[in-house]
Amino acid sequence: AQSVTQLGSHVSVSEGALVLLRCNYSSSVPPYLFWYVQYPNQGLQLLLKYTTGATLVKGINGFEAEFKKSETSFHLTKPSAHMSDAAEYFCAVSGTGGYQKVTFGTGTKLQVIP
Amino acid sequence: DVKVTQSSRYLVKRTGEKVFLECVQDMDHENMFWYRQDPGLGLRLIYFSYDVKMKEKGDIPEGYSVSREKKERFSLILESASTNQTSMYLCASSPLDRGRVQPQHFGDGTRLSIL
């Protein structure tokens, strides 16, 4: 079984500051890891994914995440926050194969202060 | 552009009613999923389907059932709605890939209120 923990249900940053959203996972098999974003009154959109290969993954809107196996982490970062980044972010983990079941974290709401 | 369409954005029903939530995808995906989203709890999987007429229970199937008669359509059924089923319901789909897990594509959600 797999699980994911997102540290901090709410994070506030100033516009232009670094965004860091934390995610730690647990998986009995090599994991596939995802970050999704949810804007108000919308469904989730994929930001980026890690499957195999390069551990630094670049996504849309300037976000990136680094897979660190030794720390079982997949933290999401963006060098400079923009007002449009205000949303809820979900980390998700899945094992390989099977019916592609994905386990989501509880989410982190990002507030960007002008 | 890929699309997952949920039939209603907002729905209000009464306790004891039988409620149907519909989801249609136009991407020819094999896998379809129903989640409920509650503040502080994230997304919890109710049921998923990996093929027509096939279904698997997720983490919180009690009080729900599903139907998948056609590949593109996946219905969630609340047999006898209760107030604790008031929530946001999200449908998602993904392609079958036996070697890797593919990202899911989500609809915009149905906000269901049970009075």
Side-chain angles (χ1 to χ4, degrees), chain B residues 8 22 26 35 50 61 69:
Chain B
S8 304
E22 307 287 346
D26 65 358
Y35 296 90
Y50 51 92
E69 297 296 319

Side-chain angles (χ1 to χ4, degrees), chain A residues 10-98:
Chain A
H10 290 80
V11 170
S12 293
V13 300
S14 298
E15 191 175 16
L18 172 71
V19 176
L20 171 59
L21 304 182
R22 299 179 186 274
C23 173
N24 288 90
Y25 70 91
S26 171
S27 177
S28 58
V29 296
Y32 291 91
L33 294 156
F34 307 87
W35 275 101
Y36 288 85
V37 60
Q38 184 180 34
Y39 298 103
N41 299 315
Q42 294 186 24
L44 279 67
Q45 303 174 31
L46 180 70
L47 266 182
L48 49 82
K49 64 179 180 180
Y50 169 79
T51 54
T52 57
T55 57
L56 183 62
V57 180
K58 294 188 184 298
I60 61 172
N61 301 337
F63 285 93
E64 62 183 34
E66 186 171 11
F67 170 63
K68 292 187 176 180
K69 184 178 178 180
S70 61
E71 299 177 8
T72 61
S73 69
F74 192 57
H75 302 330
L76 182 71
T77 60
K78 181 175 180 177
S80 175
H82 192 272
M83 295 298 295
S84 61
D85 295 327
E88 190 161 19
Y89 293 79
F90 292 90
C91 182
V93 63
S94 179
T96 55

Side-chain angles (χ1 to χ4, degrees), chain A residues 36 38 41 43 95 100-101, chain B residues 9 37 59 97 100-101 104 107:
Chain A
Y36 288 85
Q38 184 180 34
N41 299 315
Q100 316 225 335
K101 181 182 173 183
Chain B
R9 292 299 304 273
Q37 181 180 12
D59 301 318
D97 183 337
R100 295 181 294 185
V101 178
Q104 295 179 15

Side-chain angles (χ1 to χ4, degrees), chain B residues 2-115:
Chain B
V2 297
K3 198 158 181 65
V4 177
T5 303
Q6 295 184 231
S7 54
S8 304
R9 292 299 304 273
Y10 301 93
L11 208 54
V12 179
K13 297 292 182 180
R14 297 202 174 276
T15 55
E17 281 192 68
K18 191 169 186 177
V19 181
F20 293 85
L21 302 183
E22 307 287 346
C23 175
V24 176
Q25 51 98 1
D26 65 358
M27 297 164 282
D28 201 36
H29 286 169
E30 288 78 11
N31 302 312
M32 296 190 75
F33 307 83
W34 274 108
Y35 296 90
R36 64 176 283 175
Q37 181 180 12
D38 300 288
L41 298 178
L43 275 70
R44 293 180 291 167
L45 182 65
I46 305 172
Y47 269 96
F48 65 100
S49 169
Y50 51 92
D51 200 353
V52 175
K53 297 191 185 295
M54 305 303 289
K55 60 185 179 184
E56 291 285 336
K57 292 181 179 179
D59 301 318
I60 52 164
E62 297 78 18
Y64 303 94
S65 63
V66 290
S67 172
R68 192 162 181 206
E69 297 296 319
K70 293 185 177 182
K71 189 176 184 179
E72 67 270 18
R73 186 179 297 271
F74 192 36
S75 303
L76 179 69
I77 303 157
L78 285 66
E79 297 290 345
S80 178
S82 64
T83 55
N84 62 12
Q85 292 177 311
T86 291
S87 186
M88 169 72 89
Y89 290 87
L90 292 168
C91 176
S93 71
S94 70
L96 178 66
D97 183 337
R98 298 195 185 278
R100 295 181 294 185
V101 178
Q102 295 296 332
Q104 295 179 15
H105 297 264
F106 284 82
D108 284 337
T110 295
R111 190 166 294 281
L112 175 64
S113 295
I114 307 296
L115 304 179

